[in-house]
Amino acid sequence: MSTSDQQAPPRHLAMPELLIGIGLLACAAAVAWQTLAIPVSPLYSKVGPTVFPYLTMTGMLVLSLLLIVAALRGGWQPEEEKETPTDWKAMGFVAAGLVANLLLIHPLGFTAASVIMFVLICYGFGSKHPLRDALLGLILALAAYFGFARALGVNIGAGFIENQLNAVINAIIGMARG
């Protein structure tokens, strides 16, 4: 058998993969748009508050273009993976977690909204241990919140939990100082 007899199957457009690439490209555009809105003081000589958002946007842009090229070449998923049906229930729980975080972060605060999101997403991925997921989500959310609030001085959505813990931390610091 000659090599001309073993022709590769024709490449076709992989629509789901193309949509992922286009979605990531839209996210990169949103990051660029929001980064342009960040006020930059003329006091910054080289590194200002827009450096990391622009680096993130550049990475997203490069990745989205690579994903789009791969989709135009037939996609990156193996054929047996393409035949696997979508688990819409699981995807619904993941989407519900993201929407819940978006809707609850203002009224409840970062930590409570993040714990709810974490539990819903874990359930969507098949976890059957909501108490363990809530505890792990609480630890991660508090670490993220206090990392931003205390270490970086960035308020990412204080709520009841954060305000109570801030009061306790401030009281302990006040007692330690005398």
Side-chain angles (χ1 to χ4, degrees):
M1 184 185 277
S2 70
T3 56
S4 61
D5 293 338
Q6 297 176 348
Q7 294 180 359
R11 294 182 179 174
H12 63 282
L13 175 66
M15 188 54 72
E17 288 97 329
L18 180 63
L19 293 175
I20 291 171
I22 291 172
L24 186 60
L25 185 62
C27 289
V31 170
W33 171 53
Q34 287 298 302
T35 303
L36 288 171
I38 296 174
V40 179
S41 170
L43 298 176
Y44 290 111
S45 60
K46 297 206 187 278
V47 177
T50 58
V51 170
F52 286 106
Y54 278 131
L55 286 172
T56 302
M57 182 265 315
T58 302
M60 291 172 70
L61 179 67
V62 169
L63 182 59
S64 68
L65 293 176
L66 290 172
L67 291 173
I68 289 170
V69 168
L72 294 174
R73 293 182 175 173
W76 60 83
Q77 290 182 317
E79 287 303 318
E80 62 270 3
E81 221 175 86
K82 290 181 182 180
E83 296 168 3
T84 304
T86 302
D87 185 353
W88 292 106
K89 180 182 175 189
M91 192 169 297
F93 274 99
V94 171
L98 296 172
V99 170
N101 186 276
L102 180 68
L103 296 175
L104 298 174
I105 197 164
H106 182 66
L108 299 181
F110 177 82
T111 302
S114 294
V115 169
I116 292 167
M117 175 186 67
F118 193 83
V119 170
L120 286 170
I121 290 175
C122 286
Y123 186 80
F125 277 99
S127 175
K128 302 294 185 211
H129 305 283
L131 187 58
R132 179 199 63 193
D133 299 337
L135 182 60
L136 182 58
L138 179 66
I139 292 167
L140 293 171
L142 287 173
Y145 176 80
F146 284 106
F148 275 94
R150 292 285 180 167
L152 299 175
V154 177
N155 182 4
I156 58 174
F160 178 76
I161 296 170
E162 295 86 359
N163 291 334
Q164 296 304 313
L165 287 173
N166 273 324
V168 168
I169 291 170
N170 290 336
I172 292 170
I173 291 172
M175 288 187 326
R177 290 184 181 164

